[in-house]
Amino acid sequence: MFTMAVAGLREILGDLSKIDEEWDDYDNEQQEFVQNVAMFLTSFLASHLRLVESSATRETVIQAHQYLLRISQVDEREMFKVCLEYWNVLVKGLYEDGRTTQFNAPVGLLNLGGGANAGSNASGNSSTMSAELRRQMYAGVLTGVRYVMISRMARPEEVLIVENDEGEIVREFIKETDTITLYKTQRECLIYLTHLDSKDMENIMVEKLGRQMGGSEWSWANLNKLCWAIGSISGAMGEDQERRVLVIIIKDLLSLCELKRGKDNKAVVASNIMYVVGQYPRFLKAHWKFLKTVANKLFEFMHELHEGVRDMACDTFVTIAQKCRRHFISPQPGEPTPFVEEIISNANAITSDLEPHQVNRFCEAIGYLISAQTDAAKQEQLII
């Protein structure tokens, strides 16, 4: 039945390769039909994926998932949420399969061509297959899901800079509960996707950031979504890989901040730098020079004309002070005094452009740093 349904969809819909571009040209009946297709595929596959894998050809299984990929690209939030729920089911299942050695086979996964010989070969394999082979079958689909998740990434609550309906960059004052919930669901999906193939995730993110640097995909929205996705997978990569990726990303973002002109452009890039670095304390703790560079950049952002940038700079400094406090109060190689002493001595200059509530946040961060000093005499000296 499922094979017949997918074949019927192929006749009616074609490959849907341009659905994201043509969606607004669809009439209500066409849009409703596509929404019903999304509901059918996600609910059926979520409930019966193993049965479909064991009875349908690989081509049919992949075709069904390709339809969901195309539909996921459409800028229609409720339909995307339906697809996202299924993607989470799929990636979580593949990840959990990988934690066991084998599962009882969906022989259809071995039925690559759908012919009689392929079916008999699968049966001859004792109906067992490694989880790795199942991941390999979905590899192309999962790469597509990674691209979709990045391109549709919702805004996390830590980000205070938003683009309003007039295309202006403004300070956000009202938290959107639905957006925060959507972000958390996408974050879960991206973490599973990273565990399933961290190298593919790395390649996609570095490639997309390169396009931002080159200008071919530059836009506020594209940079925002990419950086929100990068921040969301903190801890999902191995430490060495995370270090390599973050060195590239942070250096490129700092360069982009220098390259871009205009208050709003700088505000967008600055907010993304602050969001990304705030999500990776493990990296900052392991790389003092980067941590100090980031802290000095935050102090620079505290002088920006955009109020939202100053707010985010203070909030990010608080986050870093909480998570990396000991590094600020300990003497570092090649430096005569702990960095916290330099910060305190320059506090008036750093906070000269801050509003009173922002100064309070800055002082809160300093309080966290001083509290990390266990020597009572040194702590008292810092307070005085």
Side-chain angles (χ1 to χ4, degrees), residues 168-184:
E168 301 169 328
I169 298 299
V170 297
R171 166 75 160 90
E172 185 217 28
F173 291 98
I174 301 174
K175 299 290 185 184
E176 297 179 7
T177 305
D178 182 63
T179 298
I180 294 170
T181 301
L182 181 59
Y183 167 80
K184 290 178 178 178

PDB file of all heavy atoms in Angstrom, residues 168-184:
ATOM      1  N   GLU A 168      14.428  46.491  10.123  1.00  0.00           N
ATOM      2  CA  GLU A 168      15.382  47.181  10.988  1.00  0.00           C
ATOM      3  C   GLU A 168      15.856  46.247  12.099  1.00  0.00           C
ATOM      4  O   GLU A 168      15.106  45.381  12.545  1.00  0.00           O
ATOM      5  CB  GLU A 168      14.724  48.423  11.611  1.00  0.00           C
ATOM      6  CG  GLU A 168      14.224  49.435  10.579  1.00  0.00           C
ATOM      7  CD  GLU A 168      13.358  50.508  11.219  1.00  0.00           C
ATOM      8  OE1 GLU A 168      12.659  50.208  12.206  1.00  0.00           O
ATOM      9  OE2 GLU A 168      13.382  51.641  10.710  1.00  0.00           O
ATOM     10  N   ILE A 169      17.084  46.426  12.529  1.00  0.00           N
ATOM     11  CA  ILE A 169      17.618  45.642  13.637  1.00  0.00           C
ATOM     12  C   ILE A 169      17.299  46.360  14.939  1.00  0.00           C
ATOM     13  O   ILE A 169      17.703  47.510  15.140  1.00  0.00           O
ATOM     14  CB  ILE A 169      19.141  45.454  13.495  1.00  0.00           C
ATOM     15  CG1 ILE A 169      19.438  44.679  12.212  1.00  0.00           C
ATOM     16  CG2 ILE A 169      19.713  44.728  14.697  1.00  0.00           C
ATOM     17  CD1 ILE A 169      18.838  43.281  12.169  1.00  0.00           C
ATOM     18  N   VAL A 170      16.559  45.691  15.820  1.00  0.00           N
ATOM     19  CA  VAL A 170      16.094  46.330  17.045  1.00  0.00           C
ATOM     20  C   VAL A 170      16.346  45.405  18.237  1.00  0.00           C
ATOM     21  O   VAL A 170      16.614  44.215  18.091  1.00  0.00           O
ATOM     22  CB  VAL A 170      14.584  46.672  16.965  1.00  0.00           C
ATOM     23  CG1 VAL A 170      14.322  47.672  15.853  1.00  0.00           C
ATOM     24  CG2 VAL A 170      13.751  45.406  16.752  1.00  0.00           C
ATOM     25  N   ARG A 171      16.226  45.973  19.431  1.00  0.00           N
ATOM     26  CA  ARG A 171      16.338  45.221  20.685  1.00  0.00           C
ATOM     27  C   ARG A 171      15.016  44.533  20.938  1.00  0.00           C
ATOM     28  O   ARG A 171      13.959  45.147  20.882  1.00  0.00           O
ATOM     29  CB  ARG A 171      16.673  46.196  21.818  1.00  0.00           C
ATOM     30  CG  ARG A 171      16.502  45.649  23.233  1.00  0.00           C
ATOM     31  CD  ARG A 171      17.621  44.693  23.582  1.00  0.00           C
ATOM     32  NE  ARG A 171      17.750  44.526  25.011  1.00  0.00           N
ATOM     33  CZ  ARG A 171      17.114  43.590  25.728  1.00  0.00           C
ATOM     34  NH1 ARG A 171      16.275  42.770  25.145  1.00  0.00           N
ATOM     35  NH2 ARG A 171      17.338  43.487  27.036  1.00  0.00           N
ATOM     36  N   GLU A 172      15.073  43.229  21.241  1.00  0.00           N
ATOM     37  CA  GLU A 172      13.844  42.485  21.513  1.00  0.00           C
ATOM     38  C   GLU A 172      13.495  42.610  22.993  1.00  0.00           C
ATOM     39  O   GLU A 172      14.355  42.499  23.863  1.00  0.00           O
ATOM     40  CB  GLU A 172      14.031  41.004  21.165  1.00  0.00           C
ATOM     41  CG  GLU A 172      12.764  40.212  21.303  1.00  0.00           C
ATOM     42  CD  GLU A 172      13.004  38.810  21.854  1.00  0.00           C
ATOM     43  OE1 GLU A 172      13.978  38.621  22.595  1.00  0.00           O
ATOM     44  OE2 GLU A 172      12.217  37.931  21.552  1.00  0.00           O
ATOM     45  N   PHE A 173      12.209  42.822  23.263  1.00  0.00           N
ATOM     46  CA  PHE A 173      11.769  42.954  24.650  1.00  0.00           C
ATOM     47  C   PHE A 173      10.789  41.856  25.059  1.00  0.00           C
ATOM     48  O   PHE A 173      10.613  41.593  26.241  1.00  0.00           O
ATOM     49  CB  PHE A 173      11.111  44.329  24.862  1.00  0.00           C
ATOM     50  CG  PHE A 173      12.089  45.462  24.796  1.00  0.00           C
ATOM     51  CD1 PHE A 173      12.245  46.199  23.624  1.00  0.00           C
ATOM     52  CD2 PHE A 173      12.878  45.781  25.887  1.00  0.00           C
ATOM     53  CE1 PHE A 173      13.158  47.243  23.557  1.00  0.00           C
ATOM     54  CE2 PHE A 173      13.794  46.824  25.829  1.00  0.00           C
ATOM     55  CZ  PHE A 173      13.935  47.562  24.660  1.00  0.00           C
ATOM     56  N   ILE A 174      10.139  41.204  24.084  1.00  0.00           N
ATOM     57  CA  ILE A 174       9.141  40.174  24.388  1.00  0.00           C
ATOM     58  C   ILE A 174       9.649  38.826  23.902  1.00  0.00           C
ATOM     59  O   ILE A 174       9.983  38.664  22.734  1.00  0.00           O
ATOM     60  CB  ILE A 174       7.780  40.497  23.729  1.00  0.00           C
ATOM     61  CG1 ILE A 174       7.261  41.861  24.212  1.00  0.00           C
ATOM     62  CG2 ILE A 174       6.764  39.402  24.019  1.00  0.00           C
ATOM     63  CD1 ILE A 174       6.001  42.317  23.506  1.00  0.00           C
ATOM     64  N   LYS A 175       9.701  37.843  24.792  1.00  0.00           N
ATOM     65  CA  LYS A 175      10.119  36.496  24.432  1.00  0.00           C
ATOM     66  C   LYS A 175       8.961  35.757  23.773  1.00  0.00           C
ATOM     67  O   LYS A 175       7.838  35.790  24.256  1.00  0.00           O
ATOM     68  CB  LYS A 175      10.560  35.717  25.677  1.00  0.00           C
ATOM     69  CG  LYS A 175      11.741  36.330  26.415  1.00  0.00           C
ATOM     70  CD  LYS A 175      13.026  36.204  25.629  1.00  0.00           C
ATOM     71  CE  LYS A 175      14.213  36.711  26.427  1.00  0.00           C
ATOM     72  NZ  LYS A 175      15.467  36.679  25.649  1.00  0.00           N
ATOM     73  N   GLU A 176       9.242  35.102  22.644  1.00  0.00           N
ATOM     74  CA  GLU A 176       8.226  34.329  21.947  1.00  0.00           C
ATOM     75  C   GLU A 176       8.348  32.866  22.374  1.00  0.00           C
ATOM     76  O   GLU A 176       9.288  32.168  21.992  1.00  0.00           O
ATOM     77  CB  GLU A 176       8.406  34.453  20.430  1.00  0.00           C
ATOM     78  CG  GLU A 176       8.218  35.869  19.908  1.00  0.00           C
ATOM     79  CD  GLU A 176       8.415  35.959  18.401  1.00  0.00           C
ATOM     80  OE1 GLU A 176       8.575  34.894  17.760  1.00  0.00           O
ATOM     81  OE2 GLU A 176       8.433  37.078  17.882  1.00  0.00           O
ATOM     82  N   THR A 177       7.383  32.420  23.175  1.00  0.00           N
ATOM     83  CA  THR A 177       7.446  31.068  23.736  1.00  0.00           C
ATOM     84  C   THR A 177       7.477  30.010  22.644  1.00  0.00           C
ATOM     85  O   THR A 177       8.232  29.029  22.734  1.00  0.00           O
ATOM     86  CB  THR A 177       6.235  30.828  24.654  1.00  0.00           C
ATOM     87  OG1 THR A 177       6.193  31.850  25.650  1.00  0.00           O
ATOM     88  CG2 THR A 177       6.332  29.468  25.328  1.00  0.00           C
ATOM     89  N   ASP A 178       6.687  30.200  21.597  1.00  0.00           N
ATOM     90  CA  ASP A 178       6.636  29.221  20.514  1.00  0.00           C
ATOM     91  C   ASP A 178       7.984  29.108  19.811  1.00  0.00           C
ATOM     92  O   ASP A 178       8.436  28.005  19.467  1.00  0.00           O
ATOM     93  CB  ASP A 178       5.549  29.610  19.506  1.00  0.00           C
ATOM     94  CG  ASP A 178       5.419  28.599  18.375  1.00  0.00           C
ATOM     95  OD1 ASP A 178       5.071  27.438  18.660  1.00  0.00           O
ATOM     96  OD2 ASP A 178       5.673  28.957  17.216  1.00  0.00           O
ATOM     97  N   THR A 179       8.651  30.238  19.605  1.00  0.00           N
ATOM     98  CA  THR A 179       9.964  30.237  18.948  1.00  0.00           C
ATOM     99  C   THR A 179      11.010  29.539  19.815  1.00  0.00           C
ATOM    100  O   THR A 179      11.844  28.770  19.312  1.00  0.00           O
ATOM    101  CB  THR A 179      10.414  31.678  18.649  1.00  0.00           C
ATOM    102  OG1 THR A 179       9.478  32.282  17.748  1.00  0.00           O
ATOM    103  CG2 THR A 179      11.794  31.705  18.016  1.00  0.00           C
ATOM    104  N   ILE A 180      10.969  29.780  21.119  1.00  0.00           N
ATOM    105  CA  ILE A 180      11.918  29.136  22.033  1.00  0.00           C
ATOM    106  C   ILE A 180      11.718  27.623  22.037  1.00  0.00           C
ATOM    107  O   ILE A 180      12.682  26.846  22.002  1.00  0.00           O
ATOM    108  CB  ILE A 180      11.766  29.715  23.454  1.00  0.00           C
ATOM    109  CG1 ILE A 180      12.183  31.192  23.467  1.00  0.00           C
ATOM    110  CG2 ILE A 180      12.595  28.920  24.455  1.00  0.00           C
ATOM    111  CD1 ILE A 180      11.849  31.919  24.750  1.00  0.00           C
ATOM    112  N   THR A 181      10.456  27.192  22.042  1.00  0.00           N
ATOM    113  CA  THR A 181      10.151  25.755  22.007  1.00  0.00           C
ATOM    114  C   THR A 181      10.638  25.133  20.706  1.00  0.00           C
ATOM    115  O   THR A 181      11.213  24.044  20.698  1.00  0.00           O
ATOM    116  CB  THR A 181       8.632  25.523  22.153  1.00  0.00           C
ATOM    117  OG1 THR A 181       8.187  26.097  23.390  1.00  0.00           O
ATOM    118  CG2 THR A 181       8.299  24.037  22.138  1.00  0.00           C
ATOM    119  N   LEU A 182      10.413  25.847  19.589  1.00  0.00           N
ATOM    120  CA  LEU A 182      10.864  25.348  18.291  1.00  0.00           C
ATOM    121  C   LEU A 182      12.383  25.233  18.269  1.00  0.00           C
ATOM    122  O   LEU A 182      12.934  24.239  17.765  1.00  0.00           O
ATOM    123  CB  LEU A 182      10.384  26.283  17.179  1.00  0.00           C
ATOM    124  CG  LEU A 182      10.748  25.899  15.737  1.00  0.00           C
ATOM    125  CD1 LEU A 182      10.189  24.529  15.381  1.00  0.00           C
ATOM    126  CD2 LEU A 182      10.240  26.960  14.755  1.00  0.00           C
ATOM    127  N   TYR A 183      13.077  26.224  18.807  1.00  0.00           N
ATOM    128  CA  TYR A 183      14.542  26.180  18.864  1.00  0.00           C
ATOM    129  C   TYR A 183      15.010  24.942  19.617  1.00  0.00           C
ATOM    130  O   TYR A 183      15.929  24.239  19.174  1.00  0.00           O
ATOM    131  CB  TYR A 183      15.102  27.438  19.524  1.00  0.00           C
ATOM    132  CG  TYR A 183      16.565  27.302  19.884  1.00  0.00           C
ATOM    133  CD1 TYR A 183      17.552  27.467  18.918  1.00  0.00           C
ATOM    134  CD2 TYR A 183      16.958  26.960  21.185  1.00  0.00           C
ATOM    135  CE1 TYR A 183      18.898  27.308  19.236  1.00  0.00           C
ATOM    136  CE2 TYR A 183      18.296  26.799  21.504  1.00  0.00           C
ATOM    137  CZ  TYR A 183      19.252  26.970  20.532  1.00  0.00           C
ATOM    138  OH  TYR A 183      20.572  26.792  20.839  1.00  0.00           O
ATOM    139  N   LYS A 184      14.413  24.675  20.748  1.00  0.00           N
ATOM    140  CA  LYS A 184      14.845  23.534  21.567  1.00  0.00           C
ATOM    141  C   LYS A 184      14.641  22.217  20.832  1.00  0.00           C
ATOM    142  O   LYS A 184      15.467  21.310  20.931  1.00  0.00           O
ATOM    143  CB  LYS A 184      14.099  23.540  22.902  1.00  0.00           C
ATOM    144  CG  LYS A 184      14.527  24.682  23.822  1.00  0.00           C
ATOM    145  CD  LYS A 184      13.730  24.691  25.115  1.00  0.00           C
ATOM    146  CE  LYS A 184      14.204  25.821  26.037  1.00  0.00           C
ATOM    147  NZ  LYS A 184      13.411  25.882  27.290  1.00  0.00           N
TER     148      LYS A 184
END
